[in-house]
Amino acid sequence: QKEVEQNSGPLSVPEGAIASLNCTYSDRVSQSFFWYRQYSGKSPELIMSIYSNGDKEDGRFTAQLNKASQYVSLLIRDSQPSDSATYLCAVNGVRGGTSYGKLTFGQGTILTVHP
Amino acid sequence: GAVVSQHPSRVICKSGTSVKIECRSLDFQATTMFWYRQFPKQSLMLMATSNEGSKATYEQGVEKDKFLINHASLTLSTLTVTSAHPEDSSFYICSASRGDSSYNEQFFGPGTRLTVL
């Protein structure tokens, strides 16, 4: 089992729809969870971070965390063509049973928003 | 805040030469910096973790003598690719963690695209 696993893509949604991106992680000790967006040929950009169970909203983005289920998701409302990118789920690393600074990334989900 | 710069953004060099890439945190102190490489259509691969004033910790399979990392201050880390060869051609990206945060979020630089001829 991979440490961080994202739903397989690519994901294609029409403009204006809700895009739902999912991620599961294997280590219960993980405490920090991040979503990065990476455009083709560019470096990742941090768009959401979440540390507590529940929802966190920032503009059109909502991150959801369920530590009991070891599940984190990202919802993008009113999707725009400019949202088309690869979305990376990242979880802070675990070593010796405790969390530390290294991030473990999922393989990424390619999102395409078509007009 | 949390801006990370990298220089150069693109470099083309001849096989056998060494290339130095700089990574700077512009508006915060970075206790830890990370170096990644990314091949086309693949995910990020962590190469090493560096802490200011101490030796870098390299991931398994990364040659420390080939990829020299120096974290000279809380705002600067450098990666030197020594005796570069065409197989070292890749997209190198640094990231930095804020020293004043316990959540370990990483902020990425814009990346350096290295082409070795």
Side-chain angles (χ1 to χ4, degrees):
Chain A
Q1 181 188 2
K2 293 180 182 177
E3 292 182 54
V4 179
E5 199 152 359
Q6 296 184 234
N7 54 324
S8 59
L11 177 65
S12 181
V13 300
E15 184 174 357
I18 296 175
S20 177
L21 303 162
N22 304 315
C23 176
T24 58
Y25 60 95
S26 60
D27 281 299
R28 289 190 173 275
V29 181
S30 299
Q31 297 180 9
S32 304
F33 308 87
F34 309 96
W35 283 99
Y36 288 86
R37 177 177 62 197
Q38 186 175 23
Y39 291 114
S40 180
K42 303 294 185 182
S43 67
E45 173 192 9
L46 180 64
I47 55 172
M48 288 290 284
S49 56
I50 187 166
Y51 316 113
S52 304
N53 278 327
D55 295 358
K56 178 181 178 182
E57 187 175 315
D58 183 0
R60 295 186 297 112
F61 299 100
T62 299
Q64 299 173 317
L65 174 61
N66 184 324
K67 290 186 178 181
S69 300
Q70 295 174 239
Y71 173 91
V72 59
S73 67
L74 178 71
L75 299 178
I76 306 175
R77 290 181 300 281
D78 189 24
S79 296
Q80 301 297 310
S82 58
D83 295 325
S84 298
T86 298
Y87 288 80
L88 300 167
C89 171
V91 177
N92 75 311
V94 177
R95 181 172 58 196
T98 57
S99 62
Y100 72 112
K102 188 169 99 170
L103 291 180
T104 301
F105 287 87
Q107 74 275 27
T109 300
I110 298 173
L111 171 66
T112 302
V113 181
H114 52 87
Chain B
V3 179
V4 178
S5 70
Q6 255 183 270
H7 178 80
S9 59
R10 185 180 296 269
V11 59
I12 301 172
C13 68
K14 292 182 179 179
S15 184
T17 60
S18 294
V19 175
K20 179 186 280 189
I21 303 170
E22 289 188 352
C23 177
R24 293 182 184 272
S25 56
L26 298 185
D27 54 0
F28 66 100
Q29 292 190 329
T31 52
T32 308
M33 288 185 168
F34 304 84
W35 288 95
Y36 296 83
R37 65 189 296 183
Q38 186 175 37
F39 293 105
K41 299 190 185 303
Q42 293 187 23
S43 192
L44 297 167
M45 187 195 85
L46 179 65
M47 298 175 67
T49 302
S50 74
N51 292 289
E52 184 262 341
S54 62
K55 289 185 178 180
T57 302
Y58 291 82
E59 296 298 301
Q60 191 173 7
V62 177
E63 299 174 59
K64 59 180 66 176
D65 293 332
K66 180 165 185 64
F67 299 100
L68 301 179
I69 292 171
N70 182 28
H71 195 153
S73 74
L74 285 172
T75 59
L76 173 64
S77 176
T78 60
L79 167 68
T80 301
V81 183
T82 62
S83 186
H85 291 283
E87 58 267 28
D88 298 323
S89 298
S90 188
F91 190 39
Y92 292 86
I93 315 171
C94 73
S95 70
S97 283
R98 300 178 68 110
D100 58 356
S101 171
S102 59
Y103 295 114
N104 300 317
E105 61 267 72
Q106 291 183 24
F107 301 95
F108 284 85
T112 297
R113 196 162 299 281
L114 171 64
T115 302
V116 185
L117 302 176

